[in-house]
Amino acid sequence: MTNSPFTSGPAPDPNRPPQGPAFQYRPQDPGEVQYGQPSGPVLPPPPSWGQRWGVLAKDDRPRQVTVILQTLWIHLAATVVATLLGLTGSVGLSVALGVIAAAVNLVLIWAVAREALGRFGTDDPRLPIYIGLGVLALLALFRVFNPFTVVPAILQITAALLILVLAFTKPVRAWLKDRPGNRPKGADTPPPAAPQAPPPQWRDPAGPAAQPPYGYQPPQQPGPSSQHNWPQPPR
């Protein structure tokens, strides 16, 4: 049997059993590799609405600060209930007290949750909290004398006292001072550097009487005869 001119190598032996491929690839288990998943480091999910505004706990926030925010939300709910119950008496007074208390409450929630107590320009970030709690407690005292609003008023005063106690704890003080947003603007700016004197400059000694430095020899001035090196006539 002759080979075809287009075939390289010896002719195949019909009596020799066929051999398998030289390289065998192992089939890959589809369960080992999850297609569509990122191979790099996975970032944590962004905080939810409840975590951002203090309704739920957050990893980078102390537990005492979370309790303060939750207590402020409870105080806001008690303010709404007291305003609705106060409509049985003086409608205008009840609405005015409710609007002021709700506004102060929302400002405190925003400043603590967004770490923006430095917007008030005070060196101590707890001072705005103290002022806001004083206003909330004073507004709640007006509702104690109304039998319809005495229960939510007592709840408001209790919530203000709890926030005041938590503000004196060490984790809350450290957290308020460490957050850049709780410090006033310009507190972290370094003071301007003092002007530095210019470096000394070397100057030549002034005046004809100034002595040259030790070891200095002035260059010799050439005479008129040797300036051009002309040949001298014979004498």
Side-chain angles (χ1 to χ4, degrees), residues 5-195:
F6 302 100
T7 304
S8 61
D13 189 2
N15 299 326
R16 188 176 180 180
Q19 297 181 357
F23 298 96
Q24 294 183 0
Y25 296 93
R26 179 184 175 185
Q28 187 177 7
D29 187 6
E32 294 181 357
V33 179
Q34 300 293 335
Y35 297 98
Q37 292 185 357
S39 57
V42 180
L43 299 177
S48 60
W49 185 91
Q51 293 176 341
R52 187 180 295 108
W53 294 104
V55 180
L56 301 176
K58 195 178 178 183
D59 295 337
D60 59 344
R61 181 187 297 155
R63 182 174 56 88
Q64 291 82 354
V65 179
T66 302
V67 175
I68 289 178
L69 291 171
Q70 292 174 349
T71 307
L72 287 173
W73 284 108
I74 294 174
H75 190 284
L76 181 60
T79 300
V80 175
V81 174
T83 303
L84 295 178
L85 294 177
L87 297 178
T88 55
S90 178
V91 177
L93 180 60
S94 179
V95 172
L97 295 177
V99 170
I100 296 175
V104 174
N105 209 327
L106 290 175
V107 169
L108 288 180
I109 292 175
W110 170 81
V112 176
R114 303 298 293 178
E115 304 169 8
L117 291 170
R119 297 288 185 90
F120 298 98
T122 58
D123 296 334
D124 188 1
R126 294 180 298 175
L127 183 60
I129 299 178
Y130 299 155
I131 297 176
L133 293 178
V135 174
L136 294 178
L138 183 62
L139 295 176
L141 288 177
F142 288 98
R143 300 187 182 276
V144 175
F145 302 100
N146 188 347
F148 296 97
T149 60
V150 61
V151 175
I154 293 176
L155 181 60
Q156 290 176 338
I157 296 175
T158 305
L161 292 177
L162 177 60
I163 297 173
L164 183 63
V165 171
L166 292 175
F168 281 95
T169 58
K170 186 176 180 180
V172 175
R173 289 183 298 174
W175 183 82
L176 292 177
K177 292 182 180 180
D178 292 342
R179 296 298 175 175
N182 292 332
R183 294 190 292 266
K185 293 183 177 180
D188 298 336
T189 304

Side-chain angles (χ1 to χ4, degrees), residues 1-4 7 9-15:
M1 182 177 182
T2 59
N3 294 338
S4 173
T7 304
D13 189 2
N15 299 326

